[in-house]
């Protein structure tokens, strides 16, 4: 058994961490927001930088001892600007949600109107959904997808923009399987004098790797997580045009946060170096090719995919025609070591806690080197399991096949 320094202090937690590592090695991880960070990213995350305090920005700190931290944060920002072609980067947001809140703090006054994608149609909670801070302090008007083809309804976006004159239009999603037309959003924002925030949390790795168009030329501010397709540590990042740099920096600190997580900053810098390599472009292309192959396999088994397929890393299955709920399907799949999440589909008649769909993503399985043949195999397994969601013996049997597959593809970082 491999041991870690945790064992000597806390065997209980050490054992659970070991079990989680074994789980991440053994199962097929199809949760669209998850990935495998590299050993280098994990090492930076676990480094001594967790001991440091550095409120402020490089060259303007409120504490001493910043000689190395300043260099690390400057490098992280420079790499972000160079990779994404941005004027300015702030790498301090603790995660995607605070990054969005900081963007609102920089661009809006309380009570101002934003126009954003609704959660049930694929948007994120932090885009003005009622139960969140964004929905409490701002007035959110929300657009969605068309009923017929389940693509973003730009006629509705334009009509709502002209009717409500929002100060900010928010685009970007957590459960939208198609390319987002950032240029079209920018056009509408310009027509009504709104600012544009593009939240690329899910697709940042695809953008970095050239597998999805970039929002950076079109949006005033771009927010992102760093741990989804971008494959960095848990964290957030804001990119913006030069004219918003001061407001964005002030909103993150002191507006919303205290000391930045310097260990995360270092790990973001490492992840951005990885993302600038030719190998990462190959990974991004493979993520999309794998999603397409998985979608094709699922369609051949009669699955109903939201929007009919995918252009990116994620797939939303509407299980209504299979007579199984999303929760039941996700639970049966997990019994066979295929892990995904239940998800609402647009115009879902079912409740969010037990919705009609499941969401699948190919970033993590691509990071461990699975290819399109494996995707077709996975589609076959999913079809078999969803056809018999109560068959525990079958699930256990397929779980053995799943583990035989994952055993051939070592999980990076673990
Ligand atoms: C995941 C996500 C976020 C939030 O990120 P956290 O790191 O979980 O706070 C924000 N926006 C979108 C579109 C996301 O998918």
């Amino acid at each position: 058994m491999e041991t870690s320094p945790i064992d000597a202090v806390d065997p209980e937690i050490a054992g659970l961490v070991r079990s989680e590592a074994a789980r991440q090695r053994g199962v097929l991880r199809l949760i669209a927001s998850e990935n495998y960070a590299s050993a280098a990213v994990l090492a930076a995350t676990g480094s001594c930088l967790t001991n440091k305090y550095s409120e402020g920005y490089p060259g303007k700190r409120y504490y001493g001892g910043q000689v190395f931290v300043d260099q690390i944060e400057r490098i992280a920002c420079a790499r972000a600007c160079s990779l994404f072609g941005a004027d300015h980067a702030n790498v301090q947001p603790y995660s995607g949600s605070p990054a969005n809140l900081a963007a609102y703090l920089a661009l809006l006054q309380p009570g101002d109107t934003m126009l954003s994608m609704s959660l049930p149609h694929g948007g994120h909670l932090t885009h003005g959904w009622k139960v969140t801070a964004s929905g409490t302090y701002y007035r959110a008007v929300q657009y969605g997808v068309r009923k017929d083809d389940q693509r973003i309804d730009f006629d509705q976006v334009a009509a709502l923009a002209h009717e409500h004159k929002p100060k900010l239009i928010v685009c970007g999603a957590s459960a939208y399987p198609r390319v987002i037309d950032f240029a079209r959003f920018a056009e509408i924002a310009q027509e009504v004098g709104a600012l544009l925030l593009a939240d690329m949390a899910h697709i940042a790795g695809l953008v970095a790797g050239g597998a999805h168009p970039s929002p950076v030329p079109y949006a005033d501010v771009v927010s992102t997580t760093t741990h989804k397709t971008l494959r960095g540590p848990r964290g957030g990042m804001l990119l913006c045009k030069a004219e918003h740099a001061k407001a964005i920096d002030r909103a993150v600190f002191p507006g919303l946060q205290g000391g930045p997580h310097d260990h995360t900053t270092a790990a973001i810098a490492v992840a951005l170096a990885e993302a600038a390599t030719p190998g990462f472009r190959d990974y991004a292309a493979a993520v999309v090719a794998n999603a397409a192959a998985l979608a094709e396999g699922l369609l051949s088994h009669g699955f109903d995919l939201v929007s009919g397929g995918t252009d990116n890393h994620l797939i939303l299955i509407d299980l209504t025609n299979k007579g199984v709920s999303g929760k039941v399907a996700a639970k049966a799949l997990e019994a066979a070591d295929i892990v995904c999440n239940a998800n609402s589909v647009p115009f879902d008649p079912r409740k969010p806690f037990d919705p009609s769909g499941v969401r699948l993503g190919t970033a993590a399985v691509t990071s461990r080197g699975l290819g399109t043949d494996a995707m077709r195999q996975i589609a076959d397994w999913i079809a078999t399991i969803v056809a018999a969601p109560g068959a525990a013996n079958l699930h256990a049997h397929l779980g053995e096949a799943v583990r035989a597959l994952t055993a051939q593809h070592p999980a990076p970082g673990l």
Side-chain angles (χ1 to χ4, degrees):
M1 182 183 83
E2 41 165 337
T3 58
S4 81
I6 310 171
D7 284 278
V9 177
D10 189 340
E12 189 179 15
I13 290 297
L16 290 169
V17 172
R18 216 167 0 254
S19 298
E20 172 62 12
R23 189 194 69 81
Q24 290 185 17
R25 278 191 199 100
V27 307
L28 273 173
R29 298 171 60 230
L30 295 178
I31 292 177
S33 49
E34 294 187 356
N35 214 326
Y36 291 94
S38 71
V41 166
L42 293 177
T45 305
S47 72
C48 65
L49 286 153
T50 205
N51 297 334
K52 188 70 195 103
Y53 239 105
S54 44
E55 280 180 4
Y57 290 100
K60 291 167 284 181
R61 305 283 194 185
Y62 291 79
Y63 296 80
Q66 308 294 348
V67 55
F68 304 113
V69 164
D70 275 6
Q71 293 179 59
I72 289 168
E73 187 169 337
R74 281 199 176 103
I75 289 168
C77 290
R79 285 181 185 169
C81 287
S82 144
L83 182 64
F84 292 106
D87 294 346
H88 180 74
N90 185 310
V91 296
Q92 293 194 6
Y94 299 142
S95 211
S97 302
N100 282 341
L101 207 48
Y104 303 145
L105 196 57
L107 304 176
L108 301 175
Q109 294 299 317
D112 278 350
T113 299
M114 70 167 81
L115 175 60
S116 53
M117 191 171 192
S118 80
L119 178 70
H121 282 223
H124 191 260
L125 277 163
T126 57
H127 296 180
W129 196 243
K130 293 166 285 286
V131 301
T132 71
S134 61
T136 304
Y137 297 112
Y138 309 102
R139 178 173 165 263
V141 176
Q142 301 216 287
Y143 61 86
V145 298
R146 287 185 293 258
K147 204 157 194 174
D148 54 353
D149 65 358
Q150 297 159 322
R151 312 270 179 138
I152 290 171
D153 185 348
F154 278 106
D155 293 338
Q156 184 195 28
V157 176
L160 289 172
H162 283 275
E163 182 187 344
H164 294 277
K165 298 280 185 292
K167 196 152 166 201
L168 179 69
I169 296 179
V170 185
C171 58
S174 300
Y176 185 67
R178 294 298 178 175
V179 164
I180 297 175
D181 187 348
F182 297 116
R184 183 84 185 91
F185 274 107
E187 216 173 270
I188 295 169
Q190 188 151 37
E191 278 169 30
V192 301
L195 295 166
L196 182 64
L197 169 66
D199 179 349
M200 62 170 184
H202 257 265
I203 57 171
L206 305 185
V207 171
H212 188 291
S214 173
V216 172
Y218 302 104
D220 295 280
V221 178
V222 174
S223 64
T224 186
T225 59
T226 51
H227 50 268
K228 295 179 182 174
T229 54
L230 191 57
R231 215 159 62 179
R234 302 303 284 222
M237 201 159 68
L238 288 163
L239 309 172
C240 66
K241 306 260 184 240
E243 61 189 289
H244 301 296
K246 259 204 180 116
I248 285 291
D249 284 353
R250 246 190 265 127
V252 174
F253 175 85
L256 189 66
Q257 298 185 169
H261 292 181
D262 298 318
H263 56 300
T264 302
T265 303
I268 289 173
V270 172
L272 291 169
E274 291 176 347
T277 61
F280 195 89
R281 291 188 81 82
D282 296 343
Y283 147 79
V287 168
V288 172
N290 277 342
L294 183 56
E296 202 180 299
L298 292 166
L299 288 168
S300 76
H301 286 290
F303 281 100
D304 179 8
L305 306 186
V306 169
S307 82
T310 180
D311 301 323
N312 58 22
H313 65 301
L314 79 82
I315 294 167
L316 256 184
I317 309 178
D318 183 342
L319 292 160
T320 307
N321 70 347
K322 299 286 187 186
V324 179
S325 81
K327 213 169 155 184
V328 167
K331 204 168 162 228
L333 290 166
E334 183 154 4
D337 284 342
I338 298 174
V339 185
C340 65
N341 63 284
N343 212 101
S344 292
V345 298
F347 309 100
D348 203 326
R350 300 180 61 93
K351 294 268 186 301
F353 197 65
D354 187 14
S356 297
V358 291
R359 187 183 67 161
L360 310 174
T362 53
V365 290
T366 304
S367 289
R368 68 189 299 166
L370 271 66
T372 51
D373 288 346
M375 297 305 121
R376 282 183 274 275
Q377 172 66 260
I378 293 168
D380 293 346
W381 286 333
I382 291 173
T384 305
I385 293 161
V386 168
N393 287 342
L394 172 73
H395 303 161
H397 180 67
L398 287 181
E400 283 170 32
V402 165
R403 282 188 299 278
L405 175 65
T406 55
Q408 293 164 25
H409 298 273
L414 299 177

